[in-house]
Structures are given as structure tokens and as C-alpha cells.
């Protein structure tokens, strides 16, 4: 049995997921690293976790399949002996006007962002109830508390994540399981850069001009980093947040006030 707390992070091969995994490792967690296709990236996250003194286990799977979340939970208990923290981070986005958003694109985002979160909530809570409690953190977005042009379908899925978070917090409280959402602002991840390329094509702006417009909308004057998000997740996973549940914390430099 491990003497270190154990966390599962989905979509942890790069970007915000890697930042979250490293922040949790830095405060003493062993990590189960969930990923879908980027094995090299997941190995990079695992290496960084080990360099910080933690243990890391890779689990490949598609969170649209509920069996993947079950496998992640099973791996945490069987390999590390515990499961105290679960982070539903994996997600996808699409930038498009509502009038031209394809049904298949919204269905894909719903499957990953919403159903993937639901599967994680279910798998984590089953284990945490049997072990006396735990912490669940869902990655939403500041677009989960305020909509935005060209991101209506994505915002709809993140509003749904906030709704799941609030409802699960109420249902799981008696089992000493807290459930919160972290709502990042604009971060220069691969997913966001792809959004900027799409917006550039739609608006005839250069990608550089699109980037500059997003930066100009952030009062803090810089983009959100994976470390910024990881620090808030680590707080919610730690003892200081024992009385925090059902909340949506924006990490966005003031671009959306909530």
C-alpha cells in the first residue's frame, strides 16, 4: 500500500493535463496518467512526475467509453493502493458559428466533454465512497459560466460540466467527496492554437492578430498557463479545500468575472 496520495488525471499527455499532473506530483501525489493517443506525450508527463519523486502509471483509453474510467480507477487501487483525487481534464473544442456548427461536431464534444466527465464522476465516486471520501475536480472553462461568440457549442458542453459539478457535489457530500470545477481562460495550448487558426480563416485576420485580440481581453496581460491551472487543482485536492464543494473557480486573469 502506498503512503502517498494517489490521483487520476485524464488527458494528461500535454497542455493543461500535464500541468495538473505535475502540480499534484509536486505536492506529493502518485499519478495515474490517462491518455488516448499521444503515448510519447504521456511518457513525457510520467518522466516529469518521477523526476519530482512520484510514481506514475500510464493508462490508455477513450473517455467516451465508460470502461476507460473504470480501468483508470482500478489501476489506481491495484497498482498504488488508493484513489483520493480524480481530475476530469480531457476535452475537445471546436470554433464555429452556431449557424454552421455540424451536428456531428457537437455530438463529439458532448461525448468527450460531458459524457467523459460523467463516466469519471461515476467511476471515481464508486471507489471513493468505499474508501471514506475524496476529491473530484472537473475541468470546465470560463466559457462554462459565460458564453462566447464562435464557441457556442463548446460553451454548451462546459456549462453542462458546471451543472454536473454542482449536482454531484450535492449528491456526494454525505460521502465526504468534494466536487469542484476549474474554469481556465485562454491558454496557448495546441487546442487553442487550432481554434485561432480556424478563427483566422473565418475572419480574414492573421493568426497573430487573432492571438493579440485574445491577449488584449485579459486584464492580467498574459495568457493562462498549465502551472496556473495546476496550482488551483492542487489546492482543491489539498486539506485547505476540505470545505469547498460545488464551486466553479475561474483561472483567467480577470477576463471573465464570476
Amino acid at each position: 500500500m502506498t503512503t502517498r496520495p494517489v490521483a487520476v488525471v485524464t488527458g494528461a499527455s500535454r497542455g493543461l493535463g500535464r500541468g495538473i499532473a505535475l502540480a499534484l506530483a509536486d505536492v506529493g501525489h502518485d499519478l495515474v496518467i490517462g491518455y488516448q493517443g499521444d503515448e510519447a506525450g504521456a511518457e513525457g508527463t510520467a518522466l516529469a512526475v518521477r523526476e519530482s519523486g512520484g510514481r506514475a502509471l500510464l493508462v490508455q483509453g477513450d473517455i467516451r467509453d465508460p470502461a476507460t474510467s473504470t480501468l483508470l480507477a482500478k489501476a489506481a487501487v491495484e497498482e498504488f493502493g488508493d484513489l483520493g483525487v480524480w481530475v476530469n481534464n480531457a476535452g475537445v473544442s471546436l470554433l464555429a458559428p452556431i449557424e454552421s456548427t455540424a451536428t456531428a461536431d457537437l455530438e463529439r464534444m458532448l461525448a468527450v466533454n460531458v459524457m467523459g466527465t460523467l463516466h469519471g464522476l461515476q467511476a471515481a465516486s464508486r471507489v471513493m465512497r468505499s474508501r471514506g471520501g475524496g476529491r473530484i475536480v472537473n475541468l470546465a472553462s470560463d466559457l462554462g459560466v459565460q458564453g462566447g461568440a464562435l464557441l457556442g457549442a463548446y460553451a454548451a458542453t462546459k456549462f453542462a460540466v458546471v451543472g454536473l459539478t454542482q449536482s454531484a457535489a450535492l449528491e456526494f457530500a454525505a460521502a465526504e467527496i468534494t466536487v469542484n470545477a476549474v474554469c481556465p481562460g485562454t491558454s496557448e495550448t495546441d487546442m487553442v492554437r487550432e481554434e485561432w487558426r480556424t478563427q483566422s480563416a473565418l475572419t480574414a485576420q492573421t493568426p497573430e492578430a487573432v492571438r493579440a485580440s485574445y491577449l488584449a481581453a485579459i486584464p492580467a496581460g498574459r495568457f493562462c498557463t498549465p502551472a496556473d491551472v495546476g496550482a488551483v487543482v492542487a489546492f482543491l485536492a489539498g486539506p485547505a479545500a476540505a470545505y469547498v464543494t460545488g464551486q466553479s473557480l475561474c483561472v483567467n486573469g480577470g477576463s471573465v468575472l464570476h
Side-chain angles (χ1 to χ4, degrees):
M1 299 289 284
T2 183
T3 58
R4 293 167 57 94
V6 178
V8 169
V9 181
T10 68
S13 61
R14 56 183 177 171
L16 299 185
R18 177 176 289 185
I20 291 165
L22 297 186
L24 290 170
D26 285 344
V27 294
H29 289 74
D30 291 329
L31 269 298
V32 177
I33 296 165
Y35 73 100
Q36 182 179 11
D38 185 4
E39 184 174 3
E43 289 283 6
T45 302
L47 177 61
V49 168
R50 293 169 186 140
E51 287 175 344
S52 72
R55 294 183 293 174
L57 175 69
L58 303 185
V59 175
Q60 191 274 337
D62 187 336
I63 61 167
R64 291 175 291 185
D65 182 352
T68 295
S69 292
T70 301
L71 182 62
L72 287 162
K74 182 179 179 182
V77 174
E78 291 187 352
E79 295 295 326
F80 295 149
D82 196 16
L83 175 57
V85 176
W86 185 290
V87 184
N88 286 308
N89 167 73
V92 294
S93 72
L94 172 75
L95 187 145
I98 289 173
E99 290 176 313
S100 59
T101 297
T103 299
D105 289 331
L106 177 54
E107 288 176 342
R108 176 172 177 259
M109 284 190 286
L110 286 167
V112 176
N113 299 350
V114 181
M115 294 308 299
T117 297
L118 176 64
H119 299 326
L121 284 164
Q122 292 171 334
S125 64
R126 283 194 294 266
V127 176
M128 290 176 180
R129 284 182 185 277
S130 70
R131 306 185 77 80
R135 308 291 174 84
I136 301 174
V137 180
N138 300 321
L139 265 288
S141 168
D142 57 6
L143 287 166
V145 298
Q146 179 177 300
L150 302 180
L151 285 158
Y154 175 73
T157 69
K158 292 303 186 177
F159 268 81
V161 169
V162 170
L164 281 172
T165 298
Q166 294 176 357
S167 296
L170 296 174
E171 293 183 18
F172 299 172
E176 298 187 22
I177 301 169
T178 66
V179 188
N180 292 287
V182 172
C183 301
T186 303
S187 182
E188 291 192 275
T189 61
D190 291 343
M191 186 172 78
V192 169
R193 291 189 185 98
E194 182 59 33
E195 290 175 0
W196 290 346
R197 285 190 285 270
T198 301
Q199 186 166 338
S200 175
L202 288 170
T203 63
Q205 293 178 290
T206 66
E208 293 76 17
V210 171
R211 178 186 183 277
S213 70
Y214 277 81
L215 184 59
I218 303 172
R222 67 173 178 85
F223 291 115
C224 177
T225 70
D228 291 327
V229 177
V232 175
V233 173
F235 161 72
L236 292 171
Y243 199 56
V244 179
T245 196
Q247 305 306 308
S248 300
L249 279 68
C250 287
V251 187
N252 61 16
S255 57
V256 171
L257 303 180
H258 172 69

